C-alpha cells in the first residue's frame, strides 16, 4: 500500500537527512522506525505526507505518487494519513473538542470552516473518538489544561477523525513517563489491531519496539541500515544502527 | 616582548578612546550651535515674567464660573471744588460697608486717597469715577484686607466742570449660586468626545484591515507558497484581466439596476431574492464534505453554481448598498434624537456602493487566477518539458509586458509624461524582454518563491507607510476630504494599518509551528490552517496590540487637530494662538485625563488577556 523508492532529502545547507531509502509497507503492519537522534526519522515520516518536500525519489500511496500530486490530490492523500507528534502539537488555546474536530478539516469545505462549522455527524464522531481514548469528560476544556498523556490521547482522537488508513507517529511517547508511554502505545496497538490501521512509528526505546512492532526499520545518518522483525536486532545489528560505543539499555 | 606588545596595544587603545571623546565633544558642540542653545534667554527677566504669567494661567483652567451680583458703594465727590465752597455733607451709615475719600472735592489730576470700611474681607474690585453724565471710568483696583479695609491712592480724572456732586464708587462683586461649566469647558467636552471617537474609528478600521494583511506579511505563512513559472505567468496575466472584466461587469449591473435604485421595495425584494439564491447556490456549489474524488461533470456543475452564487452575491451587495442608503435617509428624519443611527446606516450603504466595483474586480481577478492556476498545473503535468518551455516563454513574455505596463501606468499617473513611448512602448518592450529572458533561463518545472516575493513587497510597503508621520498623513487627508474629524480618522486609520500589520505579522511569525504542521497534515488547506491553527494562537497578542494602538491613537487624535484633523487639538491650537491660556489649560487638562484613563483601562485589559 505504501512504497518508498529511493527517497532522498537534502536540507538547505547540504544536510543529508535521507539517503536513498527504499522500503515497502504492507497494510495492517505496525512498523517501527529506529535510529539515533538526527538519523532522519522525523524527516522520513514527514516526507511520506509531504510536510517535508523530498529532494528525490518517490512515495507511492495506493498507486499514486505523492511527490507529484497537485494540491487537491495531496489534500485527498493527506486526509487518509493521520499524524501524531512527540509534542502533541495541539492548538493549546482551543477546546479539546475543536482540536479533535480539526482532524476532519481535510474533508470539510474550506469555505465552511471559515465560520467554524462542523456537521452534526462530525461532532458525534468526535465524541466517539474521545470516548475511545477515555477523555469524553474533558471535551470542553482548553487543550493546555490537560496533562501530557491526555494531550497525546487528544491527538490520537484527532488523527482518528481522519478515518486514516495509516498513522504516522513521530516519537509519540518520547515526552511521556514510561507508564503513560505504554498506555499511549496500547491505544495505537488497539487502533492497529481493531481498525486495521497501518502504523509507522518512530521510537527511541527498543523494548517498546519489541513489545509493539511487528517490523522495524533502522536509519543511521539517513541510510537504511536494517529492515526486518524486531527480534532480529542482535548485538551486531545494534552496533551498526547505533554506533560502536552504544550500550543496550532496557 | 609580550609586555611590549601589551603596552603598544594599550597606547593604541587610549588613543582610540581619546579620539572617540574628542569626536563626541565636537558632535555635541555642533549640536549646541544647530539647536540654538542659548541659556541667556532662559534667565532674561521679560521672558521669565511672561513664562510665570502663562504658567499661572495654565494652572487655573477656566473650568467653572459663577453668577455674580454687584453692589456699588459710592461716595459723592465734587470736581472741581465749588466756587462758593458750599458742600452738602451726607451722613454715612458706618455700620454698613462705606467708602471715604480723603477730600470731598479736588481739581482734575490731583491725587486723593480712597478708603473703604466694613467691606467683605479679602476681595478685589474696581474703583470707578461715575460722572454726572453717567459715564463710568475706572480709576484703580482695590483689595481689602482681612478686616474688610482698603486704602488706595487715585488720580482724579479730567472732566468738564460740573456743579453738582459726582461719585466715586467701589464695586463689590459677590458670587451667588452653584458653579457652572464655562463655555470653554462645554466646547472642550464636545471636542474630547470627538477625539475619542476619532481614535475609536481609526483603531477599528485599522485593526480590521491589518489582520488579513498581517497574514500576508508573515514570513512563516508565506515562505512555503511557491508556484510554477507557468502558473505565475498565467496569474500575472489573469488578475488584471479578471479585475478589468469584473470592473466592467459591476458597472454594467449598476447601470442595469439604476432605474430601480430609488425604490425601497424593489431594492428590498431584490436584495432578499438575490441573497437567498446566492446562499443556496453556494451551498450547492460547495458541498460540506467530499468523500470521493469529484468527477469532471460534478466539478463543472459546482463551478456553475458558484458562478451563479457569485453573480447573485454581487447583485445583493449592490442592492444592500442602495437599500441601506434609502433606509438610512428615511430613518435619519424619522428617528429624531437618535437620527444618527440612520446617518450611520446611510454611510454604511454608501461605503458598500463605493466598494462594489473594487470588490467585483478583485473577485473576478481571483476567479480567473484560480482557474488559470488549475490550467497551469494541468499543463505542467501533461506536457513534456520542451513544449512547456515554449509555452512558458510566450506566457512570461506577455506577463512581463503587462506587469511593466501596469507599474509604468502608476508612475505615469504621478509624473504625467504625456508620451506613450515612455509610458507604454518602452515598458512593454523591456518587460516582455525581461519575461522572455527569465523564462529562457528558468527550468520549466522549477518552483518560484511567489509567497516570499509577495511577503517582501507587502513588508516594504508597510515599512514605507509606517515611516510617514500621522500628522503628515492628516495634512494630505485634509486636502482630500476637508478639515474635520473625518480627515483625522482616515489618516490615523492608515497609519494604524501600517503599524499594526507589522506588529501582528511579527506575532504570527513567532507562533508555535507544531499545531500548524499538525493541522496541515490532516489535509487542511491554507485558509483552514489559518483559521484553526494560527488565529487561536494570536488572539491574545492581537488584542493586546490593538489596545496599545488604541492608546496611541487617542494620544495622536488629541494633536491631529493641529493640522485640521478634527478633535480637541484644533481648540487647543486656537486658544494658544489667541493667548487665552486659561482656556488652553482646560483642553490640556482634558487631554491628560483622557490619555491617562485610556492608559489605565488598556493596561488593565491587557493584563486580563495575556
Ligand atoms: N528544517 C531543517 N533544515 C535543515 N536541516 C534539518 C531540518 N530538519 C532536520 N534537519 C537535519 O536533518 C537531520 C535529520 O533530522 P531529523 O529531525 O529527521 O532526525 P530525527 O531522527 O528525527 O532526530 P530526533 O530523534 O532528534 O528527532 C538532522 O541532521 C537535522 O539537523
Ligand atoms: Mg525527530
Amino acid at each position: 500500500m505504501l512504497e518508498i523508492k529511493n527517497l532522498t532529502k537534502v536540507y538547505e545547507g547540504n544536510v543529508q537527512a535521507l539517503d536513498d531509502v527504499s522500503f515497502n509497507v504492507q497494510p495492517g503492519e505496525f512498523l517501527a522506525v529506529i535510529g539515533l537522534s538526527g538519523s532522519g526519522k522525523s524527516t522520513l515520516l514527514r516526507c511520506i505526507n509531504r510536510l517535508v518536500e523530498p529532494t528525490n525519489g518517490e512515495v507511492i500511496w495506493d498507486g499514486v505518487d505523492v511527490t507529484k500530486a497537485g494540491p487537491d490530490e495531496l489534500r485527498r492523500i493527506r486526509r487518509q494519513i493521520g499524524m501524531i507528534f512527540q509534542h502533541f502539537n495541539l492548538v493549546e488555546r482551543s477546546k479539546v473538542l475543536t482540536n479533535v474536530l480539526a482532524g476532519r478539516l481535510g474533508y470539510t469545505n474550506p469555505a465552511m470552516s471559515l465560520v467554524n462549522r462542523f456537521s452534526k455527524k462530525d461532532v458525534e464522531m468526535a465524541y466517539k473518538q474521545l470516548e475511545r481514548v477515555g477523555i469524553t469528560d474533558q471535551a470542553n476544556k482548553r487543550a493546555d489544561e490537560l496533562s501530557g498523556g491526555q494531550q497525546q490521547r487528544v491527538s490520537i482522537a484527532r488523527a482518528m477523525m481522519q478515518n486514516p488508513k495509516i498513522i504516522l507517529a513521530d516519537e509519540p511517547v518520547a515526552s511521556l513517563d514510561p507508564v503513560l508511554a505504554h498506555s499511549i502505545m496500547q491505544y495505537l496497538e488497539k487502533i492497529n489491531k481493531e481498525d486495521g490501521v497501518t502504523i509507522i512509528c518512530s521510537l527511541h526505546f527498543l523494548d517498546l519496539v519489541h513489545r509493539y512492532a511487528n517490523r522495524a526499520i533502522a536509519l543511521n545518518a539517513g541510510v537504511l541500515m536494517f529492515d526486518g522483525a524486531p527480534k532480529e536486532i542482535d548485538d551486531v545489528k545494534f552496533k551498526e544502527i547505533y554506533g560502536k560505543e552504544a550500550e543496550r539499555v532496557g | 616582548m609580550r609586555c611590549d606588545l601589551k603596552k603598544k596595544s594599550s597606547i593604541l587603545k587610549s588613543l582610540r578612546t581619546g579620539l572617540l571623546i574628542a569626536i563626541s565633544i565636537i558632535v555635541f558642540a555642533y549640536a549646541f550651535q544647530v539647536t540654538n542653545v542659548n541659556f541667556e534667554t532662559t534667565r532674561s527677566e521679560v521672558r521669565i515674567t511672561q513664562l510665570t504669567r502663562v504658567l499661572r494661567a495654565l494652572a487655573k483652567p477656566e473650568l467653572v464660573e459663577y453668577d455674580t451680583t454687584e453692589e456699588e458703594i459710592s461716595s459723592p465727590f465734587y470736581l472741581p471744588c465749588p466756587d462758593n465752597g458750599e458742600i452738602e455733607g451726607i451722613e454715612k451709615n458706618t455700620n454698613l460697608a462705606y467708602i471715604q475719600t480723603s477730600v470731598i472735592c479736588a481739581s482734575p489730576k490731583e491725587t486723593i486717597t480712597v478708603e473703604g470700611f466694613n467691606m467683605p474681607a479679602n476681595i478685589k474690585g474696581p474703583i470707578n469715577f461715575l460722572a454726572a453724565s453717567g459715564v463710568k471710568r475706572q480709576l484703580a483696583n482695590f483689595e481689602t484686607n482681612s478686616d474688610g479695609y482698603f486704602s488706595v491712592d487715585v488720580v482724579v480724572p479730567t472732566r468738564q466742570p460740573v456743579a453738582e456732586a459726582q461719585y466715586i464708587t467701589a464695586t463689590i462683586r459677590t458670587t451667588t449660586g452653584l458653579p457652572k461649566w464655562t463655555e470653554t469647558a462645554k466646547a472642550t467636552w464636545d471636542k474630547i468626545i470627538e477625539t475619542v471617537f476619532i481614535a475609536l474609528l481609526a483603531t477599528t478600521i485599522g485593526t480590521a484591515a491589518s489582520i488579513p494583511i498581517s497574514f500576508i506579511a508573515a514570513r512563516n505563512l508565506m515562505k512555503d507558497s511557491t508556484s510554477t513559472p507557468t502558473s505565475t505567468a498565467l496569474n500575472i496575466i489573469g488578475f488584471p484581466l479578471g479585475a478589468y472584466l469584473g470592473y466592467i461587469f459591476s458597472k454594467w449591473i449598476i447601470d442595469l439596476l439604476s432605474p430601480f435604485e430609488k425604490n425601497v421595495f424593489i431594492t428590498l425584494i431584490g436584495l432578499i431574492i438575490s441573497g437567498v439564491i446566492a446562499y443556496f447556490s453556494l451551498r450547492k456549489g460547495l458541498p460540506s464534505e467530499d468523500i470521493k474524488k469529484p468527477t469532471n461533470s460534478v466539478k463543472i456543475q459546482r463551478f456553475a453554481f458558484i458562478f451563479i452564487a457569485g453573480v447573485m452575491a454581487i447583485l445583493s451587495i449592490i442592492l444592500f448598498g442602495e437599500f441601506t442608503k434609502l433606509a438610512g435617509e428615511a430613518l435619519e428624519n424619522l428617528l429624531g434624537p437618535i437620527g444618527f443611527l440612520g446617518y450611520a446606516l446611510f454611510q454604511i450603504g454608501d461605503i458598500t456602493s463605493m466598494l462594489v466595483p473594487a470588490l467585483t474586480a478583485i473577485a473576478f481577478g481571483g476567479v480567473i487566477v484560480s482557474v488559470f492556476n488549475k490550467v497551469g498545473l494541468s499543463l505542467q503535468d501533461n506536457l513534456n518539458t520542451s513544449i512547456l518551455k515554449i509555452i512558458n516563454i510566450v506566457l512570461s513574455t506577455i506577463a512581463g509586458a503587462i506587469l511593466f505596463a501596469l507599474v509604468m501606468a502608476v508612475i505615469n499617473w504621478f509624473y504625467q509624461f504625456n508620451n506613450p513611448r515612455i509610458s507604454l512602448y518602452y515598458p512593454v518592450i523591456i518587460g516582455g524582454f525581461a519575461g522572455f529572458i527569465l523564462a529562457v533561463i528558468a527550468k520549466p518545472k522549477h518552483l518560484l518563491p511567489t509567497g516570499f516575493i509577495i511577503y517582501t513587497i507587502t513588508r516594504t510597503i508597510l515599512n514605507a507607510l509606517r515611516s510617514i508621520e500621522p500628522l503628515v498623513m492628516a495634512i494630505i487627508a485634509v486636502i482630500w476630504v476637508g478639515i474635520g474629524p473625518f480627515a483625522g480618522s482616515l489618516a490615523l486609520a492608515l497609519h494604524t494599518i501600517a503599524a499594526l500589520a507589522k506588529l501582528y505579522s511579527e506575532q504570527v511569525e513567532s507562533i508555535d509551528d507544531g499545531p500548524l504542521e499538525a493541522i496541515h497534515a490532516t489535509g487542511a488547506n491554507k485558509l483552514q490552517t489559518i483559521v484553526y491553527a494560527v488565529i487561536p494562537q494570536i488572539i491574545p497578542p492581537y488584542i493586546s496590540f490593538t489596545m496599545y494602538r488604541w492608546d496611541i491613537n487617542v494620544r495622536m487624535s488629541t494633536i491631529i487637530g493641529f493640522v485640521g484633523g478634527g478633535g480637541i487639538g484644533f481648540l487647543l491650537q486656537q486658544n494658544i494662538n489667541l493667548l487665552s491660556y486659561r482656556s488652553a489649560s482646560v483642553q490640556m487638562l482634558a487631554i491628560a485625563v483622557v490619555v491617562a484613563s485610556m492608559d489605565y483601562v488598556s493596561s488593565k485589559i491587557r493584563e486580563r488577556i495575556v
Side-chain angles (χ1 to χ4, degrees):
Chain A
M1 92 191 278
L2 182 67
E3 272 177 77
I4 313 288
K5 288 188 188 165
N6 311 100
L7 197 63
T8 300
K9 172 68 191 178
V10 184
Y11 281 111
E12 268 170 56
N14 235 350
V15 182
Q16 179 105 27
L18 291 177
D19 190 358
D20 202 18
V21 174
S22 304
F23 63 95
N24 287 345
V25 184
Q26 303 307 323
E29 261 187 322
F30 196 124
L31 175 68
V33 182
I34 56 176
L36 281 174
S37 202
S39 57
K41 303 184 295 295
S42 302
T43 308
L44 173 64
L45 293 183
R46 280 170 174 72
C47 279
I48 293 176
N49 60 1
R50 256 176 75 189
L51 283 180
V52 164
E53 205 66 51
T55 314
N56 244 318
E58 289 173 6
V59 176
I60 314 284
W61 163 262
D62 271 352
V64 183
D65 187 354
V66 179
T67 57
K68 297 207 170 55
D72 288 344
E73 186 79 63
L74 184 60
R75 177 175 153 92
R76 273 192 295 276
I77 293 170
R78 275 184 180 159
R79 69 189 190 189
Q80 298 173 45
I81 304 178
M83 194 147 187
I84 295 169
F85 303 83
Q86 175 181 354
H87 300 292
F88 328 130
N89 288 3
L90 298 181
V91 182
E92 301 203 327
R93 293 184 57 88
S94 293
K95 280 198 303 186
V96 167
L97 187 65
T98 314
N99 268 292
V100 176
L101 280 167
R104 208 63 203 159
L105 286 173
Y107 294 89
T108 53
N109 194 292
M112 276 312 187
S113 29
L114 262 189
V115 285
N116 205 339
R117 270 198 25 207
F118 287 93
S119 68
K120 234 172 135 183
K121 224 173 66 211
D122 287 347
V123 178
E124 274 166 22
M125 186 177 173
Y127 273 107
K128 220 181 75 200
Q129 296 303 343
L130 281 173
E131 198 184 315
R132 280 190 79 178
V133 292
I135 44 173
T136 322
D137 48 332
Q138 316 280 351
N140 284 310
K141 278 196 184 167
R142 254 172 61 163
D144 55 2
E145 290 169 21
L146 268 55
S147 71
Q150 288 173 322
Q151 291 196 26
Q152 196 59 301
R153 286 192 263 168
V154 175
S155 82
I156 292 177
R158 174 172 67 190
M160 288 309 287
M161 285 297 282
Q162 295 175 236
N163 265 337
K165 291 198 181 142
I166 188 168
I167 284 184
L168 309 173
D170 189 8
E171 294 176 29
V173 295
S175 44
L176 300 174
D177 66 47
V179 181
L180 280 174
H182 275 292
S183 108
I184 293 297
M185 290 307 291
Q186 274 155 18
Y187 280 117
L188 290 179
E189 188 176 38
K190 202 165 120 190
I191 290 165
N192 178 244
K193 295 253 162 70
E194 288 177 9
D195 304 40
V197 176
T198 310
I199 289 179
I200 305 182
C201 178
S202 68
L203 286 171
H204 267 309
F205 288 104
L206 276 179
D207 59 337
L208 291 177
V209 178
H210 285 294
R211 164 88 174 68
Y212 296 101
N214 44 35
R215 191 178 142 208
I217 58 173
L219 293 171
N220 186 342
V223 182
L224 190 70
M225 301 295 292
F226 175 85
D227 183 350
K231 60 175 184 296
E232 289 171 29
I233 304 175
D234 51 24
D235 282 354
V236 181
K237 285 279 173 213
F238 181 82
K239 290 233 187 294
E240 259 177 48
I241 299 167
Y242 287 108
K244 291 205 170 49
E245 266 93 83
E247 291 280 342
R248 287 187 94 128
V249 289
Chain B
M1 197 50 195
R2 276 183 56 146
C3 207
D4 221 45
L5 260 176
K6 235 181 182 173
K7 218 174 202 170
K8 212 170 176 183
S9 76
S10 83
I11 289 174
L12 261 178
K13 216 173 178 182
S14 39
L15 257 178
R16 216 174 50 197
T17 319
L19 200 67
L20 274 178
I21 292 174
I23 290 177
S24 14
I25 288 176
I26 293 172
V27 167
F28 279 95
Y30 189 63
F32 267 50
Q33 199 212 323
V34 225
T35 53
N36 275 335
V37 172
N38 180 356
F39 281 94
E40 210 171 303
T41 52
T42 65
R43 294 188 301 271
S44 125
E45 210 160 295
V46 189
R47 283 171 194 276
I48 288 179
T49 8
Q50 252 173 15
L51 180 68
T52 321
R53 220 184 56 228
V54 171
L55 288 181
R56 283 187 184 149
L58 287 178
K60 277 182 279 184
E62 201 174 41
L63 266 180
V64 290
E65 61 188 4
Y66 294 89
D67 282 331
T68 53
T69 52
E70 291 189 352
E71 189 189 351
E72 301 235 318
I73 315 287
S74 53
S75 171
F77 192 78
Y78 292 88
L79 181 71
C81 287
D83 295 334
N84 51 12
E86 279 173 28
I87 293 175
E88 279 179 46
I90 54 162
E91 281 301 304
K92 281 180 181 148
N93 186 343
T94 50
N95 293 323
L96 297 175
Y98 66 97
I99 58 173
Q100 183 91 58
T101 46
S102 51
V103 287
I104 204 153
C105 70
S107 325
K109 289 192 177 162
E110 236 176 274
T111 302
I112 62 166
T113 307
V114 184
E115 284 175 302
F117 302 91
N118 297 340
M119 310 273 287
N122 301 321
I123 61 161
K124 285 181 194 167
I127 291 174
N128 291 316
F129 181 80
L130 187 58
S133 58
V135 175
K136 222 186 218 178
R137 166 159 180 191
Q138 186 168 351
L139 302 178
N141 283 313
F142 69 85
E143 190 172 348
T144 60
N145 65 12
S146 53
D147 296 329
Y149 166 81
F150 72 83
S151 159
V152 181
D153 288 343
V154 301
V155 180
V156 176
T158 328
R159 280 287 181 275
Q160 288 289 323
V162 179
E164 68 259 46
Q166 306 183 73
Y167 291 93
I168 296 228
T169 67
T171 311
I172 301 175
R173 291 210 179 103
T174 41
T175 56
T176 55
L178 295 169
K180 290 190 311 184
W181 297 112
T182 55
E183 285 307 313
T184 313
K186 285 180 199 159
T188 306
W189 173 256
D190 278 353
K191 285 288 169 187
I192 201 82
I193 296 288
E194 190 179 294
T195 308
V196 172
F197 277 99
I198 290 175
L200 178 72
L201 265 190
T203 315
T204 325
I205 296 171
T207 307
S210 43
I211 289 174
I213 297 175
S214 71
F215 295 141
I216 302 177
R219 197 192 192 107
N220 56 342
L221 296 186
M222 298 299 286
K223 70 169 193 299
D224 292 334
S225 300
T226 50
S227 63
T228 60
T230 324
S231 303
T232 313
L234 280 171
N235 285 348
I236 295 176
I237 300 171
F239 190 81
L241 188 72
Y244 180 69
L245 287 179
Y247 181 76
I248 301 278
F249 180 76
S250 71
K251 285 281 172 214
W252 179 67
I253 289 200
I254 290 173
D255 272 354
L256 213 64
L257 289 175
S258 61
F260 313 110
E261 74 182 12
K262 287 286 159 251
N263 190 317
V264 186
F265 294 103
I266 294 182
T267 48
L268 181 60
I269 290 167
L271 169 61
I272 293 170
I273 293 175
S274 57
V276 169
I277 296 179
Y279 178 76
F280 281 105
S281 21
L282 197 69
R283 291 306 300 264
K284 270 233 163 322
L286 298 174
S288 61
E289 282 194 348
D290 238 354
I291 304 299
K292 284 192 226 72
K293 184 175 174 173
T295 61
N296 275 344
S297 69
V298 170
K299 274 189 191 163
I300 292 172
Q301 214 180 337
R302 283 186 189 166
F303 185 78
F305 274 118
I306 294 175
F307 184 77
I308 294 173
V311 172
M312 284 298 147
I314 293 168
L315 202 66
S316 58
I317 292 174
I318 296 173
L319 289 170
F320 172 80
E322 293 306 331
F323 176 71
T324 30
K325 273 200 276 188
L326 291 173
E329 236 166 10
L331 285 179
E332 195 177 353
N333 298 327
L334 214 69
L335 289 178
I338 51 168
F340 63 88
L341 292 177
Y343 181 74
L345 207 58
F346 177 84
Q347 292 303 333
I348 289 172
D350 204 35
I351 296 171
T352 316
S353 307
M354 201 170 77
L355 290 181
V356 165
L359 283 179
T360 323
I362 292 174
F364 269 57
V367 168
I368 295 217
V369 161
S370 78
V371 171
F372 276 21
N373 250 333
K374 295 243 159 75
V375 172
L377 281 174
S378 74
L379 284 181
Q380 173 101 3
D381 290 343
N382 299 325
L383 295 179
N384 70 35
T385 318
S386 51
I387 298 183
L388 194 64
K389 181 129 193 169
I390 295 171
I391 291 182
N392 276 354
I393 291 174
V394 174
L395 286 177
S396 95
T397 308
I398 301 174
I402 290 182
L403 194 64
F404 272 58
L406 286 178
V407 170
M408 204 56 197
V410 175
I411 297 175
N412 186 45
W413 184 84
F414 280 104
Y415 296 99
Q416 295 287 303
F417 297 115
N418 287 328
N419 182 352
R421 224 195 274 167
I422 298 179
S423 61
L424 190 63
Y425 307 148
Y426 285 164
V428 165
I429 292 167
I430 296 172
F433 190 67
F436 177 81
I437 296 287
L438 271 180
V440 170
I441 297 171
K443 285 191 199 119
K445 298 204 173 177
H446 192 81
L447 291 173
L448 300 176
T450 357
F452 187 74
I453 294 171
I454 295 175
Y455 154 85
T456 314
I457 294 175
T458 318
R459 270 291 169 98
T460 313
I461 295 177
L462 287 180
N463 286 342
L465 265 185
R466 219 153 27 90
S467 63
I468 304 174
E469 274 297 308
L471 275 185
V472 179
M473 287 187 181
I475 292 171
I476 295 170
V478 164
I479 294 166
W480 186 18
V481 299
I483 288 181
F486 183 42
S489 315
L490 275 183
L492 279 184
L494 196 60
H495 197 259
T496 305
I497 293 175
L500 273 187
K502 169 131 191 299
L503 289 177
Y504 284 170
S505 61
E506 272 160 10
Q507 284 308 310
V508 175
E509 284 175 358
S510 70
I511 59 173
D512 181 7
D513 270 344
L516 245 72
E517 196 181 27
I519 300 285
H520 218 61
T522 64
N525 72 1
K526 189 129 241 167
L527 187 67
Q528 292 173 316
T529 312
I530 288 179
V531 174
Y532 283 89
V534 178
I535 291 183
Q537 293 194 62
I538 53 176
I539 284 177
Y542 269 41
I543 292 180
S544 123
F545 278 125
T546 310
M547 290 316 294
Y548 168 66
R549 187 65 212 182
W550 158 246
D551 216 70
I552 294 179
N553 278 348
V554 170
R555 280 162 211 263
M556 282 308 309
S557 61
T558 58
I559 58 164
I560 209 146
F562 278 33
V563 295
I568 199 160
F570 179 63
L571 216 53
L572 178 59
Q573 189 201 25
Q574 225 177 21
N575 281 323
I576 291 174
N577 288 346
L578 292 173
L579 307 182
S580 18
Y581 293 107
R582 289 195 56 200
S583 304
S585 172
V586 179
Q587 279 108 47
M588 290 186 192
L589 193 71
I591 291 174
V593 169
V594 167
V595 168
S597 42
M598 287 304 156
D599 209 65
Y600 179 77
V601 170
S602 77
S603 78
K604 277 285 157 211
I605 293 181
R606 287 218 296 267
E607 250 170 49
R608 273 274 175 86
I609 286 157
V610 185

